[in-house]
Amino acid sequence: MDSRDSLSSDAARDSSSLSEDAAVLSVTSALAKTALSYFQSGKFEECFDILIQLDQKKHNDPKVLHNMAIAEYFKDGCSNSEKLLQGLNRVKKQSEELASAARDQLEAANPGTNASVPKDHFDSTVTTLNIAVTWFHLHDYSKSFSILEPLFQNIQRLDETIALQICFLLLDIALACRDAVNFLAVFDYMEKAFGVGFGSHEENGSTMQLSSNQVSKTSSLLSSSVASDTLKSELTAAESSLCEETLDYDNVLAEFEAEKRMKPVGHIPANNLLKTLSERTFSNADLKLELQLYKVRFLLLTRNLKMAKREVKHAMNIAQKRDSSMALLLKSQLEYAHGNHPKAIKLLVVSGIHKEAGTSGIFKNNLGCIYYQLGNYQASSVLFLKALRSCSSLRRNEKPVKPFSLSQDKSLLIIYNCGLVYLALGKPLLAAQCFQKASVVFWRQPLIWLRLAECCMMALRKGLLEERTTSLDRSEIRVSVVGKGNRRQLMIEENGYVELAGNTQLSKLSLPLARVCLSNGIYLLNESLSNDSKSDLGSTFSVGMNETKEASSSDHEEANTNSDLKEAKGGMSQDIIQNSLSAFKDMCSKEKQLMQQALFANMAYVELELENPVKALSAATSLLQLPDCSKIYVFLGHIYAAEALCLLNRPIEAGAHLSAYLVGQDDFRLPYAQEDFDQWWKHTSSDCEETLDPSTGNARESVFLKPEEARGALFADLAALLATQGHHDQAKPLITHALTLLPNNVQATVTAVYIDLMLGRSQDALARLKQCTRVSFVPGRLEVRAS
Amino acid sequence: MMIMKIEESAIVLSLLKSDLRPMDDVLSEFNSKFDDSSRFFSVCNSLSMMLQDQKMLQNTERLIAFAIIHQCYSSQKPSLNPFLSEMMSAACNEQLEKSERAFLLHLLQWNSYNNVKEILKQSAVDYIRSFDPSTHDFPELRELQREYGDKADPGPSSHIFADYSLKKLLHDPDVPRGCDPNSPEYVFDVQPGGNPRIGSGDRDEALSGFLGNSTMGGLAPRWIRPCPPRYPVHQSELLWIDPDNKHELVWDDKMCADTSRGATVRDLLVKGLKVTLSPMEQEDITTELANDPKLVYHCGITPRKLPQLVEHNPQIAVEILTKLIKSPDIADYFTALVSMDMSLHSMEVVNRLTTAVELPKEFIRMYITNCISSCGNAKQQDKYMQNRLVRLVCVFLQSLIRNNIINVKDLFIEVQAFCIEFSRIREAAGLFRLLKTLE
């Protein structure tokens, strides 16, 4: 009620109540100042007490309540985000109600006039921003985005500092969601509104270049004396672990020196070019660097490595005046993306982020990524674990909370990496745990569901899904000797039957879970394919932004001629940006297609494993219907469909699937070539200069059938099909061929034995069994038990 | 567990061998030992495997084995017995003893074979001994299938692999051939047996080993089902982390702040809608607007109020419009400007705006069209006013053309017609000449 009174008095400010108001105002504003200073010095208890006093004076003032919620959150050690969100949402709702009430009141006071509510009074921008910030830290990016979206639509009306904060938050959200479209919308606006961006650096660039050369010259003089011993040793250590690559090492050193020199920022003379824009509160040089770094991140996101290289150089030039660790980190990421891992490691070390507690986890994570790409999964997993540990220690040790510090908890992202490396190491149970934890953040992405399903399938292969059955027996043939003497018989047994029921060992991973995961993945992917025009965040900034883009293309502060010139330049680099954006979109849709193929193939496989041929057939058919399907998946689609059809007693159709690869009467062509495989394996990483190094190459080979083996599978499967139809004579040469291509294959051997027996050649069958190394002749069970 | 336990196979084996006890006695013992019906399937499965080999079990044992299989599913309809088809084919198998076939027909209760109970009261040995083959006639398999077949459960698995599955038992060829009386077709093998106990194999041991080992299903051709490859990890899937901007909670520093500064501007502007403000007052507004770049969005001038402000304080209007140029609502302000009555002040505002900011071409065009048409409309009112308006428009257009704000070609015909219509006015003639020079 008080606030409403103050509003009406505000509306009739010329009346006599002004002086009285002013008295109250001076007291409260003094209190507000005290509260702020307590807040800034991290004394949240005291701050909160002052706010309680304020609340008593200005009852239900939304802004006081807002700051109370913030202060309380910090007072409690940043632990209760839920309470904070509740508080902030309540404040937001309240100020919106008050605002609309005030509007009504004004409307009533002077009808007809289009009343506009005075600024600041019930403005909930700050509250909204804080809600979005909280969701951001809770990793709910799409929620955070949707909260910020209306603010961004009206961003011109907002104070510059808060507008900047909103924009930066939006940029980080877009990066986290890999949403290049929205990133660009925000970035474009920032470039226009804050005067630094894609177009403007060209003319600045040249002078910057010049000055940087001077810097590097001087710094090279200093290099021997300045470098601290520890860092130097780190550098050499990093270097020794790399291969002998000829890279411009001097350059790296110079950068490194520059970084050292830049630590005291103050005494660098301000650049004249920057001065013209410097009425702003946010230091323009900072802003310029910040935006340049974001530009590099955009280019890295869209995998435009060439441009990124150019822009990161520019960022380094700007950064020499200040902190260049971020620029170095991006440079490291660029080299990582290039597949130039030694250099990436070097730059990562040089960036120095491992020295600070807050970022050492990030350092270890990124190093882990590099080691993963080098095929050294063991080291990679150790690094990810260490990264997790430093994150969690950060959470625990940072007490008292330094003012303005929400925990920068990246552990959920690192956990995802952990999952990938565990999968690569063949540890599906650990990997699944990681993915399940990380799904809090990534549940919208189809890929994580595919990975979880892969965990289930790997666990199945490794026999981790069964009750107690020894995994060794899983794919072997057993020949049991039963009886003795003239009654001695051999029992050929394939370990085909696995009982799934009642496995208590791990209730989480199972084939039905795999099925659920895959259908989640397919659903999400279909959704994102159907609104491919839209962004992953669910919506894009409306066309309104484009209008303002045009309207604001020239700034009134500049002369017309100048603006023309600028526009031309901006347009040119705008082209590049748009190109890399559309290239990125193409890349994404290609990746989605590949993922779709993988999802359907896995689904067909899982359904077959679950003895559900109808669903398996439909998944396989969907797979085969996909446009531009990779040959590998076409092969799998045919094989799965044929098997499902057999299980459905439709052998003719099954045969049709296999005969797609038939050459003549009884020969198969290779269903895919090694190049197809390599291409698929590298999938769209064609921009990457990396040639598959031997270590990862090995891992790859064990991943899937070689083309010849795939051909063997076709022989074996056709033989099996023919055998069931009684064409044993026809099947015989096929299965013999299959066994030459796939010696020791259990299924093929069983089929061969079957055919031999059907042809009445039991001696041949036994000879076959003896040849196969995967047969174990076991003594009768009773004897074993008895001994 | 599909496999029989050791104790279970021992029980079954002993039951099979009790050929001197009445068969229903044997069956009731089976029932008492196997009270868990979920075990029936594996027992029957093992038995049926052994029954497939005609030489493995003795005749009496075969009878008991069939009886047990029958017993296990006797509470259900015969068609639900998964081993029905095997019983049927055995009943029609000419190679089998007629006594056994008749026994099966009794179990199946086919036509006249209806005294199961009587038969089961005998021991297996007694049954065979008392069997008189002459009194029986045997049906064709088809007839049996007609009776039960279409109702019969096709068995535990019904796809083609299972249908064609083969019994998975194989005589060990390492057993010297001659020693196996059951396989006379084998000729003697070179392989030396070397085992003194050859030929004295323990049949019981073989049987129980068998019972213990056999699992469901036969040996069938197998399909190779390649596992799909792991989806490759693209570089971008591994999450490279950058420290993000420290997005912190923001303190609202507008709390209890003094809002009077904005208020003075608002009050002055309300006044400015009605009267021309003094230079001092105008100065105040300009400085306040410059101090707070966002104030313009909250100063209370809406598109609806804009015409009034333009009429009384064109400079302030220009000031505000230039600051609002980036606003998403600027189009509404332009619309207000276009649709207001033509006047010196409005033209002054537009003219100044053209030099300060870049205006949308569409807006300028609309505005000029509007100017020209209001000159024509003014004729009815007042000749003097009309002349004044025309001269203003001409000056305005000349200024726009000279400053390259508009492209004459876009409006050439319209403007030319206007000049010709008002050629009596000196400024219009001047504009016309300007047009001609540009042509």
Side-chain angles (χ1 to χ4, degrees), chain A residues 287-296 311 314-315 318:
Chain A
L287 184 60
K288 189 180 169 74
L289 173 59
E290 206 61 55
L291 283 177
Q292 182 65 25
L293 292 174
Y294 272 106
K295 190 201 287 187
V296 176
E311 296 297 335
H314 184 59
I318 306 175

Side-chain angles (χ1 to χ4, degrees), chain A residues 389-674:
Chain A
R389 212 166 298 140
S390 19
C391 273
S392 63
S393 72
L394 199 64
R395 236 175 302 155
R396 255 180 284 118
N397 296 344
E398 212 174 75
K399 262 205 170 181
V401 203
K402 58 178 181 184
F404 300 102
S405 169
L406 275 177
S407 59
Q408 282 213 9
D409 194 356
K410 303 287 185 194
S411 51
L412 285 174
L413 310 185
I414 300 170
I415 281 178
Y416 186 87
N417 287 345
C418 270
L420 281 179
V421 82
Y422 278 135
L423 205 55
L425 284 169
K427 296 179 178 168
L429 303 189
L430 285 172
Q433 281 177 8
C434 292
F435 288 132
Q436 278 170 346
K437 275 185 198 152
S439 65
V440 179
V441 183
F442 299 102
W443 62 274
R444 271 165 180 274
Q445 292 181 8
L447 195 50
I448 195 172
W449 296 107
L450 177 58
R451 292 293 178 210
L452 256 177
E454 282 178 349
C455 290
C456 294
M457 285 157 66
M458 185 184 277
L460 170 78
R461 267 204 307 288
K462 298 207 158 214
L464 296 169
L465 292 185
E466 288 118 294
E467 195 176 32
R468 254 177 300 125
T469 326
T470 45
S471 56
L472 263 179
D473 288 350
R474 180 68 182 91
S475 60
E476 305 296 315
I477 304 172
R478 284 169 22 148
V479 179
S480 306
V481 180
V482 183
K484 270 186 192 159
N486 60 351
R487 295 283 178 167
R488 196 158 77 193
Q489 309 246 1
L490 296 184
M491 183 147 64
I492 308 160
E493 191 100 53
E494 190 204 349
N495 253 312
Y497 186 81
V498 180
E499 201 163 276
L500 277 171
N503 72 61
T504 47
Q505 193 183 19
L506 188 79
S507 55
K508 291 226 166 137
L509 282 200
S510 66
L511 283 174
L513 176 70
R515 171 156 65 189
V516 171
C517 289
L518 289 171
S519 61
N520 279 352
I522 291 172
Y523 174 77
L524 287 170
L525 196 63
N526 278 344
E527 210 177 38
S528 88
L529 281 172
S530 66
N531 49 16
D532 225 0
S533 50
K534 291 186 217 154
S535 77
D536 285 344
L537 282 171
S539 63
T540 23
F541 291 121
S542 63
V543 203
M545 288 313 301
N546 289 333
E547 280 176 14
T548 55
K549 220 187 284 171
E550 280 164 34
S552 62
S553 59
S554 81
D555 205 348
H556 67 282
E557 284 163 57
E558 285 154 339
N560 276 337
T561 49
N562 200 351
S563 82
D564 281 349
L565 206 149
K566 240 190 137 174
E567 178 119 294
K569 274 193 176 165
M572 192 192 72
S573 108
Q574 201 66 39
D575 267 1
I576 299 171
I577 295 302
Q578 286 303 329
N579 283 345
S580 78
L581 182 64
S582 66
F584 178 62
K585 277 182 185 163
D586 289 348
M587 233 179 303
C588 286
S589 71
K590 204 168 154 196
E591 273 174 24
K592 279 179 190 167
Q593 279 177 0
L594 281 170
M595 208 185 305
Q596 205 174 22
Q597 295 166 19
L599 282 167
F600 278 127
N602 281 289
M603 187 61 125
Y605 179 83
V606 167
E607 291 292 359
L608 282 174
E609 288 287 333
L610 286 169
E611 293 176 19
N612 204 340
V614 179
K615 285 188 176 169
L617 181 61
S618 90
T621 319
S622 315
L623 174 62
L624 290 170
Q625 281 165 351
L626 291 180
D628 305 322
C629 197
S630 143
K631 279 189 183 170
I632 295 164
Y633 283 116
V634 172
F635 164 71
L636 286 177
H638 282 306
I639 289 269
Y640 294 154
E643 185 179 358
L645 285 164
C646 279
L647 295 175
L648 293 168
N649 286 334
R650 286 153 69 182
I652 313 264
E653 290 160 84
H657 274 287
L658 294 181
S659 58
Y661 293 107
L662 215 50
V663 180
Q665 275 290 299
D666 52 359
D667 198 13
F668 284 103
R669 59 187 162 86
L670 288 179
Y672 49 89
Q674 188 62 41

Side-chain angles (χ1 to χ4, degrees), chain B residues 235-252:
Chain B
Q235 205 180 39
S236 66
E237 191 186 348
L238 277 172
L239 300 161
W240 180 280
I241 301 177
D242 294 324
D244 49 21
N245 254 304
K246 291 197 169 57
H247 298 292
E248 299 295 353
L249 295 172
V250 181
W251 179 267
D252 194 339

